[in-house]
Amino acid sequence: MPMEIRILLEPDAQAWWAMRLEALRAEPYAFGKAVEEHQATPVETIAARFRDAPSEDLHLGAFENGVLIGTATLIRDKGVKDRHKAHIYAVYVASPHRGKGAGRALIAELIDRAKRDPSLEQILLAVATVQTAARELYRSLGFETFGIEPRALKVGKDYIDEDHMILRFDQSQH
């Protein structure tokens, strides 16, 4: 069965919650949320987030044989002056499934869906400078680094710098 990329729904909340916990444990330098913060978030909160998500926000999952193997989220800014922007968060592919195109498929689908909205002009994200494969994936999809935030995260005694990246849409293509 081929990989399926689709919107995450309320019944996917438990699988997403478990995958997010795996991600935070496996890649502590890659995410701003700590394991203990995630563990304090009930699955019901995630289910409500999926159920009540505004139409311009996207919570995507990559599935193989019906099993969640990757996630990516796009959140549209809500303010009058910043609604032209959206941010990508929570990108993760389970370790055994890396290198098979799931991350690329998730981000490409987010970009494709985002481009359908002519009022959305750019997507931003932050990626730890130590996440080389992720940075290269984003670059290959058109993202450019516009700055590096030193000491963006602190994990124990370690500081993590983050690349801030942007993908601008050519307005003539909308």
Side-chain angles (χ1 to χ4, degrees):
M1 179 179 220
M3 180 175 38
E4 176 191 16
I5 305 294
R6 67 167 172 80
I7 298 283
L8 292 169
L9 304 170
E10 199 171 347
D12 300 316
Q14 179 63 52
W16 186 95
W17 193 96
M19 175 164 281
R20 181 70 168 165
L21 182 60
E22 171 191 322
L24 297 174
R25 285 180 171 154
E27 304 282 350
Y29 293 173
F31 300 100
K33 187 158 299 259
V35 168
E36 53 272 20
E37 291 171 312
H38 177 67
Q39 288 174 319
T41 305
V43 172
E44 294 75 26
T45 300
I46 305 306
R49 185 180 303 157
F50 294 163
R51 181 185 63 242
D52 302 331
S55 61
E56 65 265 17
D57 293 348
L58 299 169
H59 302 279
L60 294 184
F63 292 83
E64 195 169 82
N65 299 318
V67 176
L68 182 65
I69 62 164
T71 63
T73 295
L74 180 114
I75 303 293
R76 179 78 180 258
D77 286 6
K78 308 294 189 256
V80 172
K81 294 182 178 182
D82 62 3
R83 283 195 44 75
H84 66 289
K85 301 185 294 185
H87 296 262
I88 291 178
Y89 300 104
V91 178
Y92 181 74
V93 174
S95 186
H97 301 280
R98 292 183 187 166
K100 300 176 184 176
R104 175 174 297 281
L106 283 162
I107 301 304
E109 183 67 16
L110 282 180
I111 293 168
D112 182 60
R113 288 175 181 249
K115 282 183 172 180
R116 296 176 195 169
D117 181 343
S119 68
L120 185 61
E121 299 175 19
Q122 58 195 37
I123 299 176
L124 300 113
L125 59 83
V127 59
T129 57
V130 297
Q131 297 293 118
T132 308
R135 284 184 18 235
E136 290 307 314
L137 170 64
Y138 299 135
R139 280 194 186 108
S140 75
L141 290 167
F143 284 86
E144 299 173 332
T145 297
F146 66 89
I148 297 174
E149 180 181 352
R151 296 182 165 203
L153 302 175
K154 186 175 182 181
V155 181
K157 293 183 179 189
D158 297 330
Y159 290 99
I160 310 303
D161 296 348
E162 285 184 336
D163 277 28
H164 289 261
M165 303 183 85
I166 187 168
L167 175 64
R168 291 182 180 95
F169 297 149
D170 178 355
Q171 293 309 108
S172 67
Q173 295 177 0
H174 274 290

